[in-house]
């Protein structure tokens, strides 16, 4: 009886291991590179006709290949094309940063930036995927279940509300919005009067922190807020922690 139970236990462990391996089995670079219908030529057409200032950052082929494999997306998709063909994309002189495979000016790739935040290991299935951010401390992410039923739509973490807000756009539509959309209107209240004088040489891995905090009543007028540059990662971690704290306080207050 004990022997049978032992064999059954070993079999169960083996099946679990096989299932885990199957879930995390990663596609190779060759499988992810679409040679017949890649999305990048279309992205280039969007760049050529863009209304906003768009800068494609130089790509390092070694980093691009590794980033594509680590993200596990095909170059058939716009996301895969951006990762594989750019070190990132700067909009409005770097106010808005779309992540690619990393570069000197934007030293973060999509998979590197998400590791430890939305995934623990490369190949994991995230609940959301961070794909862009801005100088005001806002973050953009593709929803894979964390925010609602509108899967693959992009959400914006607004620094003046600490909420993930739906944009109603897929990733390709989001890229088009960055290229052609009315960013002045979108960022109303998040851009101070002289913002453009501070952005041109901004390190893409730093963002502005404001005090009073933008989500407080005292911080509603950004012209009156003090600002300082901090690492974008530090700001992300702080905002995520503060969001949880405020939600907990709200729950406590309502009980």
């Amino acid at each position: 009886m004990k022997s049978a139970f032992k064999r059954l236990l070993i079999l169960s462990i083996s099946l679990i291991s096989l299932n885990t391996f199957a879930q995390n089995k990663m596609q190779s670079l060759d499988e992810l590179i679409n040679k017949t219908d890649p999305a990048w030529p279309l992205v280039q057409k969007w760049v050529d006709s863009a209304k906003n200032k768009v800068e494609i950052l130089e790509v390092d082929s070694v980093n691009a290949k590794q980033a594509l494999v680590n993200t596990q997306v095909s170059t058939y998709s716009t996301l895969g094309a951006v990762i594989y063909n750019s070190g990132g994309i700067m909009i409005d002189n770097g106010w808005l940063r779309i992540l690619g495979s990393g570069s000197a000016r934007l030293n973060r790739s999509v998979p590197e930036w998400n590791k430890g935040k939305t995934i623990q290991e490369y190949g994991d299935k995230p609940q959301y995927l961070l794909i862009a951010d801005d100088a005001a401390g806002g973050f953009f992410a593709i929803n894979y279940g964390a925010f609602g039923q509108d899967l693959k739509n992009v959400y914006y973490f607004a620094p003046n509300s600490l909420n993930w807000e739906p944009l109603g756009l897929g990733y390709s539509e989001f890229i088009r919005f960055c290229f052609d959309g009315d960013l002045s209107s979108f960022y109303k209240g998040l851009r101070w009067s002289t913002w453009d004088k501070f952005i041109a040489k901004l390190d893409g891995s730093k963002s502005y922190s404001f005090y009073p905090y933008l989500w407080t009543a005292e911080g509603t007028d950004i012209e009156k807020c003090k600002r300082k540059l901090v690492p974008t990662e530090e700001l992300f971690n702080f905002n995520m922690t503060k969001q949880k704290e405020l939600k907990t306080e709200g729950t406590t207050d309502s009980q």
Side-chain angles (χ1 to χ4, degrees), residues 16 24 36 41 67 116 138 169 171 175 188 210 223 231-232 235 237:
I16 291 171
N24 294 328
T36 57
L169 306 171
Y171 182 82
I175 295 297
K188 186 177 181 180
F210 298 90
E223 300 291 347
T232 303
L235 190 57
N237 292 334

Side-chain angles (χ1 to χ4, degrees), residues 209-214 218-219 224-228:
S209 173
F210 298 90
Y211 191 82
Y213 300 127
L214 299 182
E218 296 80 7
K224 297 179 180 179
C225 294
K226 295 180 180 179
R227 59 185 179 272
K228 67 174 181 178

Side-chain angles (χ1 to χ4, degrees), residues 66-80:
Q66 191 62 60
L68 190 70
V69 170
N70 288 343
T71 312
Q72 287 291 287
V73 287
S74 167
T75 57
Y76 175 79
S77 71
T78 307
L79 174 61

Side-chain angles (χ1 to χ4, degrees), residues 166-240:
L167 299 185
L169 306 171
Y171 182 82
S172 295
E173 295 168 308
F174 166 69
I175 295 297
R176 294 296 303 273
F177 169 74
C178 292
F179 290 2
D180 298 316
D182 185 354
L183 296 182
S184 295
S185 177
F186 181 82
Y187 281 111
K188 186 177 181 180
L190 293 176
R191 282 177 169 176
W192 59 101
S193 58
T194 56
W195 69 271
D196 54 327
K197 293 180 173 60
F198 294 84
I199 300 303
K201 295 182 180 180
L202 180 63
D203 182 337
S205 291
K206 290 188 177 181
S207 303
Y208 282 98
S209 173
F210 298 90
Y211 191 82
Y213 300 127
L214 299 182
W215 66 83
T216 65
E218 296 80 7
T220 53
D221 186 351
I222 200 167
E223 300 291 347
K224 297 179 180 179
C225 294
K226 295 180 180 179
R227 59 185 179 272
K228 67 174 181 178
L229 277 174
V230 298
T232 303
E233 178 143 15
E234 179 183 309
L235 190 57
F236 177 83
N237 292 334
F238 175 80
N239 284 346
M240 294 301 110

